[in-house]
Amino acid sequence: MKLSDLSLSNKRILVRLDLNCPLDGEQNISDDSRILAALPTIKYLIKKGGRLILCSHLGRPDKKRLPNGNIDRQRFSLAPIAQRLSELLDQTVFFQQDCIGPEVQAAAANLQNGQILLLENTRFYKEEKKGDKAFAAELAALADVYINDAFGTAHRAHASTAVVADFFLPQAKAIGLLMQKEVEQANKLLHEPKRPYLAIVGGAKVSDKILLLEKLVEKVDVLLIGGGMAYTLLKAQGAEIGASLVEDDKLDLAKKFLEKAAQKGIKVLLPEDSYIANEFSATAEKKLADNKNIPTGWMGLDIGPKAQTAFISEIQQAASILWNGPMGVFEFAAFAEGTKKLGQAVVEATQKGAFSLVGGGDSVAALKKLGKAHAVSHLSTGGGATLEYLQGNELPGLKAIEQ
């Protein structure tokens, strides 16, 4: 269901958002993009007279515990998010220091039309990630309506992202405006994309992206592969890659993938050359090498000029473009050239009429660094969720709404 199908006035509405913003050591928000992305749905619900109960996770508090073993509630608190929301909405966003319990129930019950309550980090409870039904039931009891607008976590069957929806009737749950937009944009690539359809895939490891690559060769016309993962594929072809990142236990998998792509007639381009370094460092000595013969002790950290030219030529001819993952260690200025030039090429192809979708944290970060975040057709807020959806996999957070 869509928001426009629901009756919202005077209703308590539980809204699952992705407010997982990066915080610095002083608990200041360093990037409020996810908060900004949530505003259209929040404003719509306020306008319709709803009483909003917002919930989200923030970080991985179970992985970064205090020395005594307790969760660091201050470091992973959503309190700074409530403050920023109050500023952006120009109204008080009430904050509860828990997400379940009697005090939360009372605060939710006392909300008036147009008021907003933000609950504390759902991941302070281990039941959240376990998809615990009892925990989900406590969240559901706070509201009359459930809205899931957290596309970035829609691929996880957690209590607040999927299980909670089971406690609401079909006419009392829907996806939010952000989720709706994400699905609509991804569908342009998933179903009958304009051709040629080109995908640019980067990142460190083949093992992280092999499922995506195997699904993409079923759908794309051209596949450009860069980043650290390219060296495993290059070695599988017999290249001498020096000290470049490689997964030796994935060489057979890499060979089979390349054979499959060739059998299907899919054009797969691996970088012909690389900017290499004698150590993994921003200040390392840098030189150029052919990828068939990288010297011993040297590692590829960015695609070289020949690779850039070949990749950009393909991008210029594409009608649909998916970009996931950088071409090198773009965090190091000396090895950011390949990612920057390909990002610019995607922007220029978009300006000429191509549809471009950029998904995945590193790709999005690279575009932001270029100052081109709004120059592509769609900048996805969901890295893992976007990739899962484009592979044709069901997203638990979406499926739960449709049931």
Side-chain angles (χ1 to χ4, degrees):
M1 266 199 168
K2 295 182 180 179
L3 281 185
S4 55
D5 299 324
L6 301 186
S7 171
L8 299 168
S9 181
N10 300 313
K11 299 288 178 64
R12 290 173 300 143
I13 308 169
L14 180 66
V15 191
R16 182 37 161 110
L17 301 171
D18 182 5
L19 303 175
N20 183 27
C21 297
L23 303 175
D24 63 21
E26 303 298 319
Q27 297 304 100
N28 297 310
I29 298 168
S30 52
D31 182 354
D32 65 357
S33 300
R34 286 174 175 158
I35 300 175
L36 295 174
L39 292 182
T41 292
I42 294 172
K43 290 178 178 178
Y44 178 89
L45 296 173
I46 292 171
K47 186 178 179 182
K48 292 296 180 179
R51 305 172 182 191
L52 277 57
I53 304 155
L54 312 181
C55 69
S56 176
H57 76 286
L58 193 150
R60 297 177 177 177
D62 56 325
K63 303 288 185 185
K64 305 271 186 177
R65 293 179 179 270
L66 294 167
N68 61 9
N70 292 336
I71 281 177
D72 189 342
R73 295 185 70 90
Q74 182 176 355
R75 179 179 175 186
F76 293 99
S77 175
L78 283 164
I81 311 297
Q83 182 179 341
R84 182 62 179 140
L85 275 169
S86 296
E87 294 167 359
L88 291 168
L89 294 166
D90 196 26
Q91 74 173 83
T92 300
V93 173
F94 302 103
F95 180 67
Q96 273 292 313
Q97 294 181 339
D98 209 334
C99 57
I100 56 172
E103 290 186 12
V104 175
Q105 292 166 12
N110 291 330
L111 281 176
Q112 302 300 308
N113 290 358
Q115 289 187 328
I116 305 171
L117 172 68
L118 175 63
L119 308 182
E120 185 56 284
N121 193 341
T122 55
R123 286 192 185 171
F124 283 171
Y125 288 86
K126 64 182 185 297
E127 289 86 354
E128 161 73 332
K129 290 176 72 172
K130 290 182 176 179
D132 184 80
K133 286 188 176 181
F135 179 67
E138 286 200 64
L139 290 172
L142 300 173
D144 310 301
V145 173
Y146 173 69
I147 305 295
N148 190 346
D149 207 27
F151 184 73
T153 60
H155 58 309
R156 300 189 177 113
H158 291 177
S160 70
T161 62
V163 182
V164 68
D166 294 341
F167 296 91
F168 293 85
L169 294 172
Q171 62 269 28
K173 58 185 176 182
I175 59 173
L177 299 177
L178 175 62
M179 182 93 86
Q180 183 181 328
K181 179 183 177 183
E182 291 279 10
V183 169
E184 288 172 351
Q185 296 300 310
N187 280 344
K188 293 179 182 178
L189 293 181
L190 188 61
H191 306 297
E192 299 182 2
K194 292 188 293 181
R195 297 194 180 275
Y197 174 13
L198 173 143
I200 309 162
V201 182
K205 296 181 178 180
V206 167
S207 55
D208 292 338
K209 300 285 177 75
I210 191 64
L211 292 176
L212 172 65
L213 292 175
E214 289 182 341
K215 288 292 179 73
L216 285 176
V217 295
E218 303 284 348
K219 299 178 180 295
V220 304
D221 303 297
V222 182
L223 186 55
L224 310 181
I225 302 176
M229 62 188 292
Y231 299 101
T232 297
L233 292 160
L234 286 162
K235 186 172 181 178
Q237 293 182 328
E240 294 291 338
I241 60 166
S244 302
L245 183 65
V246 65
E247 292 178 280
D248 284 315
D249 61 333
K250 297 294 185 290
L251 291 175
D252 286 342
L253 190 66
K255 282 180 186 175
K256 288 176 183 175
F257 163 71
L258 291 169
E259 288 168 2
K260 178 181 178 181
Q263 289 168 2
K264 290 186 168 292
I266 304 304
K267 190 173 185 179
V268 177
L269 267 68
L270 295 174
E272 187 178 342
D273 57 350
S274 291
Y275 286 112
I276 61 174
N278 57 353
E279 61 179 354
F280 189 80
S281 165
T283 57
E285 185 182 345
K286 174 184 174 183
K287 62 183 183 181
L288 191 61
D290 186 290
N291 279 342
K292 291 179 182 176
N293 193 21
I294 295 175
T296 302
W298 289 73
M299 62 188 75
L301 295 186
D302 191 16
I303 59 172
K306 288 182 181 177
Q308 291 171 23
T309 299
F311 283 17
I312 289 169
S313 176
E314 294 293 339
I315 292 168
Q316 289 171 340
Q317 300 171 59
S320 297
I321 302 168
L322 168 66
W323 181 19
N324 174 263
M327 295 295 97
V329 188
F330 79 99
E331 302 93 326
F332 298 163
F335 300 99
E337 181 182 301
T339 300
K340 285 181 179 179
K341 287 194 173 178
L342 261 63
Q344 184 59 41
V346 171
V347 167
E348 289 173 5
T350 307
Q351 291 169 343
K352 292 177 181 176
F355 172 78
S356 56
L357 188 153
V358 179
D362 287 338
S363 309
V364 172
L367 265 186
K368 287 181 177 178
K369 213 168 183 180
L370 282 169
K372 303 289 184 180
H374 301 292
V376 294
S377 305
H378 182 61
L379 196 68
S380 181
T381 60
T386 303
L387 299 187
E388 288 288 327
Y389 190 77
L390 288 173
Q391 289 174 56
N393 297 332
E394 282 187 335
L395 303 184
L398 191 58
K399 184 182 177 183
I401 296 293
E402 295 168 346
Q403 290 177 329

